[in-house]
Amino acid sequence: MRMDGARITAAEGGLCQKGWTAAETLNSGQRLRNPLVRTGGRLRPASWDSALDLIAERLATLRAAHGPDTNAVFGGGGLTNEKAYLLGKFARLALGTARIDYNGRFCMSAAAKGMRRAFGIDRGLPFPLADLGEADAVLLIGANPAETMPPFLRYLRGARENGGLIVADPRRTATAEQATLHLAPAPGTDLALALGMLHAAVTEGLVDQSYVDDRTAGFEEAWRIAADWWPERAELVTGVAAADQRRAVRMLAAADRAYVLTARGTEQHADGTATVHAWINLALALGLPGTPGSGFGCLTGQGNGQGGREHGQKSDQLPGYRDLADPAARAHIAGFWGISPEQLPAPGPSAYELLNSLGTETGPRSLLVFGSNPVVSAPDAARITGKLAALDFLVVADLAVSATAELADVVLPVTQWAEETGTMTNLEGRVLLRARAVSPPAGVRSDLEILAALAHRLGQPRERFPSAPEDVFTELRAASAGGPADYAGISYPRLRSGAALHWPVPHPEHAGTPRLFLEGFAHPDGRAVFHAEPYTGPAEPPDTGFPLQATTGRILRHYQSGTQTRMVPELADSVPRVHVEMHPETARRAGLAEGAPARVSSRRGSVLAEVRCIESMRLDLVFLPFHFPGAERANLLTDGVLDPECGMPEFKVCAVRLDPAGVAA
């Protein structure tokens, strides 16, 4: 069944193992049911009033002594649109701080930056998933949906059955096993691979020249860089055969309906934005974006990965995906909020920069964390843990005592997905209403209620911070009016009626925009823009001391930092500990064997993990899932070096060595 050109649900009723067990978290014995306040070095139960009074008093005292930027806020890509909006408003009005960012910076920032530059707007998929399901060819780069989002696989069925599914991934994943063609570049070399494939498109006469001439700008500069990257040169760097590069480009060019899709594997690098640009360049050269039945897009990685980055919890952003540095955007939102533009803080530091500045002479002395667990999810995790521990005051709102909450001065128990109403925006830009299904446990409050209560205690008028989800959404849609992510025409009644509304929806009679760019791109001249940057390689190449490369990612039975999935016995018992995948020969050279404990070490730390030998692994690569806490954190290894364009850390490649577990780090 379809509505307004889109399927009723993106997953069409399909669930993965994490989905069908999710309800078990609602009644888990690990749920928090009362606020906790640290007293005498221990977290002890407290009343809501005493906890909220303490938070407000400490934040106000710190602000009076050190200025508004002494208080910071860290959000999450799993928060509803309403929460993301109110969190940004709370930081900038109630606290007056510029120090706010969120964990989506670790997830979507490279793709968002690349798409905004190229197309003028960032919506993960500028077309409905139903269109993707009809593709003849799909190039999927750095994604393993067979494990991370299995219901999505149905949309690759057409390309797979037509012999047109191409998967680029250093590992032969469960997704790559289904591909017609698997490209396995060395970690951190995707930019070189994209340049080699663009070179092949040009030299083999596969460029859609009329499309390039009529609908794009900047091709000459992109070709100037790609001209030096003939596929044989790219093969020397990436390990991907020149013949396979050419074959992949021919498959895309020959297809009537073709798509290029990126995900975290190609984006979570210090050159992530440049790499996204390079894949967009290939798609533009082939005439795909803005063409019916074809396109470019990126797969979002969190529950509200799209909506979470649209309404103000990013350090450089205002509601409606407006730019905080834009005077017109500042004036619009300031007027809507009833303040002067000068009262809005300037853009602040990105997520890792914010976390890395905690507890320093000029950095924040307090942090409020909503919907995130940076002790596990941040790169160079031991360093960030030390930064959090050095704070004067740490507050965490979560459903259980996460690794980050263990360090907190106050922990606030919050409602879960089935216990609250709110909207989410999926990867195709469709806004979904998730209605409350069950009552939350006594003693648990929503993030919206917490923010409203704190704002009032900090001197804000009650009417400025509503706590009912529909009231917040009504304000959000009005604030977003005229912005790139325009929700003005979306309402709870329309969503309850079943309307499939993809933003922008500028007025209540508007049917939504399931397909962007068909008439033109979102730049003033209507053209998409090629951007080209040279290949430089991983920030930390292997050497004699650390001769291997490590990459991190998700596995089927766990999600993100694992706080929720470890609450489900079926999931926790099936994969209770971290493991490290490697080629059997790599294990042999390190004196290791299947099932043995290994020490994986980088320049930042080490992890003890059980060896899993995988015949298809590259000899120079090991893989660790990042879902585990404590000494099993894969992010103890990863590097905090950042993409200068978007602040994305280099999660997907770092230099490591292997030793038997008994060898000291």
Side-chain angles (χ1 to χ4, degrees):
M1 182 178 180
R2 295 172 185 256
M3 182 179 294
D4 295 343
R7 296 187 188 274
I8 291 304
T9 62
E12 297 186 286
L15 291 173
C16 69
Q17 191 172 9
K18 293 185 286 288
W20 75 62
T21 59
E24 294 188 36
T25 64
L26 298 172
N27 297 310
S28 169
Q30 299 177 45
R31 283 289 302 268
L32 281 170
R33 297 171 187 270
N34 296 100
L36 303 176
V37 172
R38 190 170 298 281
T39 306
R42 293 181 56 193
L43 288 169
R44 302 176 189 272
S47 70
W48 271 102
D49 280 342
S50 63
L52 294 172
D53 288 347
L54 173 63
I55 295 169
E57 185 274 328
R58 293 295 303 275
L59 297 178
T61 299
L62 286 168
R63 179 173 60 185
H66 305 288
D69 284 345
T70 198
N71 295 317
V73 178
F74 199 80
L79 300 179
T80 63
N81 292 321
E82 292 83 355
K83 293 177 185 179
Y85 170 82
L86 206 65
L87 192 65
K89 184 179 182 182
F90 174 84
R92 296 185 174 100
L93 293 194
L95 296 179
T97 184
R99 301 317 197 245
I100 175 172
D101 211 70
Y102 82 129
N103 64 16
R105 180 76 64 174
F106 298 158
C107 186
M108 301 304 308
S109 58
K113 187 77 169 184
M115 293 185 76
R116 288 188 73 185
R117 280 186 171 177
F119 307 135
I121 205 167
D122 159 41
R123 201 178 85 189
L125 297 185
F127 46 81
L129 277 165
D131 292 0
L132 184 63
E134 299 171 357
D136 301 306
V138 174
L139 170 58
L140 185 64
I141 311 130
N144 181 21
E147 292 194 75
T148 60
M149 47 195 301
F152 176 80
L153 287 180
R154 71 190 64 207
Y155 296 105
L156 301 178
R157 187 181 301 134
R160 187 172 65 245
E161 292 176 351
N162 289 323
L165 179 59
I166 310 157
V167 174
D169 197 304
R171 301 163 58 224
R172 190 161 183 81
T173 63
T175 305
E177 287 283 355
Q178 301 183 38
T180 308
L181 177 61
H182 174 211
L183 311 176
T189 65
D190 286 18
L191 177 53
L193 177 61
L195 290 168
M197 291 173 68
L198 179 58
H199 189 287
V202 174
T203 57
E204 300 213 354
L206 301 176
V207 172
D208 186 334
Q209 197 60 53
S210 61
Y211 173 98
V212 170
D213 292 342
D214 295 342
R215 302 198 62 188
T216 74
F219 173 76
E220 293 77 11
E221 178 61 17
W223 170 239
R224 184 185 67 79
I225 292 177
D228 291 335
W229 282 92
W230 53 97
E232 287 75 12
R233 181 188 176 192
E235 178 180 349
L236 293 175
V237 172
T238 67
V240 177
D244 285 343
Q245 296 176 51
R246 293 188 172 98
R247 180 186 174 196
V249 176
R250 291 181 193 131
M251 289 166 67
L252 291 169
D256 291 331
R257 298 175 296 275
Y259 293 85
V260 175
L261 304 176
T262 67
R264 306 303 80 71
T266 200
E267 298 161 9
Q268 288 180 319
H269 294 274
D271 62 356
T273 303
T275 302
V276 170
H277 284 321
W279 293 120
I280 292 175
N281 290 347
L282 176 63
L284 289 173
L286 297 175
L288 306 183
T291 297
S294 296
F296 174 90
C298 72
L299 305 183
T300 52
Q302 295 194 66
N304 197 26
Q306 181 66 52
R309 65 185 189 262
E310 295 172 355
H311 296 296
Q313 64 174 330
K314 287 175 67 177
S315 64
D316 54 356
Q317 180 200 85
L318 290 170
Y321 221 138
R322 288 182 166 88
D323 186 346
L324 180 56
D326 177 12
R330 293 174 64 86
H332 173 86
I333 296 299
F336 184 79
W337 284 346
I339 62 173
S340 69
E342 294 73 26
Q343 290 177 270
L344 283 174
S350 66
Y352 185 80
E353 294 170 308
L354 171 60
L355 295 173
N356 197 36
S357 71
L358 297 175
T360 63
E361 180 90 17
T362 58
R365 294 169 182 256
S366 82
L367 181 69
L368 281 69
V369 179
F370 288 82
S372 190
N373 188 13
V375 162
V376 176
S377 62
D380 197 357
R383 179 179 180 84
I384 297 307
T385 302
K387 295 290 185 179
L388 290 162
L391 286 168
D392 290 356
F393 193 56
L394 174 62
V395 179
V396 175
D398 212 330
L399 58 96
V401 180
S402 67
T404 303
E406 290 176 356
L407 302 176
D409 297 287
V410 181
V411 183
L412 302 175
V414 295
T415 49
Q416 288 196 62
W417 55 278
E419 300 164 350
E420 59 185 14
T421 294
T423 59
M424 315 282 276
T425 305
N426 74 1
L427 73 171
E428 59 184 7
R430 177 180 169 183
V431 181
L432 307 169
L433 179 61
R434 187 182 65 192
R436 172 173 162 168
V438 298
S439 298
V444 172
R445 297 187 184 181
S446 75
D447 300 90
L448 296 179
E449 292 172 324
I450 292 168
L451 290 169
L454 287 174
H456 176 64
R457 282 169 167 81
L458 290 167
Q460 292 292 308
R462 288 187 184 276
E463 63 273 13
R464 182 171 279 175
F465 283 87
S467 61
E470 188 165 2
D471 292 343
V472 178
F473 187 79
T474 299
E475 182 177 317
L476 177 160
R477 55 186 285 230
S480 75
D486 191 335
Y487 284 35
I490 305 174
S491 65
Y492 274 32
R494 291 193 77 186
L495 295 174
R496 289 190 184 105
S497 75
L501 299 174
H502 302 72
W503 68 258
V505 189
H507 57 78
E509 289 72 43
H510 195 279
T513 315
R515 296 170 185 85
L516 295 170
F517 312 140
L518 297 183
E519 303 300 324
F521 296 95
H523 291 300
D525 61 2
R527 291 176 176 264
V529 181
F530 284 85
H531 283 272
E533 296 183 42
Y535 171 76
T536 56
E540 186 180 67
D543 57 22
T544 55
F546 299 91
L548 301 172
Q549 291 179 304
T551 191
T552 66
R554 299 177 184 173
I555 55 177
L556 177 62
R557 291 175 178 84
H558 286 291
Y559 177 71
Q560 299 298 81
S561 67
T563 300
Q564 294 181 60
T565 50
R566 282 194 302 278
M567 295 167 69
V568 179
E570 178 181 332
L571 303 178
D573 294 345
S574 62
V575 187
R577 305 291 300 274
V578 72
H579 60 266
V580 56
E581 297 178 7
M582 64 190 72
H583 192 278
E585 178 62 17
T586 305
R588 188 193 66 78
R589 293 174 184 175
L592 299 166
E594 175 74 21
R599 183 179 296 280
V600 188
S601 302
S602 76
R603 290 178 175 85
R604 289 155 294 282
S606 65
V607 177
L608 290 177
E610 180 183 288
V611 172
R612 292 190 182 178
C613 292
I614 309 291
E615 291 281 354
S616 63
M617 287 286 287
R618 296 175 57 97
L619 288 167
D620 58 357
L621 179 67
V622 300
F623 167 81
L624 298 95
F626 61 77
H627 310 293
F628 300 92
E632 297 185 351
R633 288 173 288 172
N635 279 317
L636 291 169
L637 306 173
T638 51
D639 198 345
V641 63
L642 303 179
D643 181 323
E645 301 292 335
C646 68
M648 172 71 81
E650 183 139 287
F651 283 108
K652 291 303 184 191
V653 59
C654 64
V656 299
R657 69 170 181 266
L658 288 174
D659 295 293
V663 176

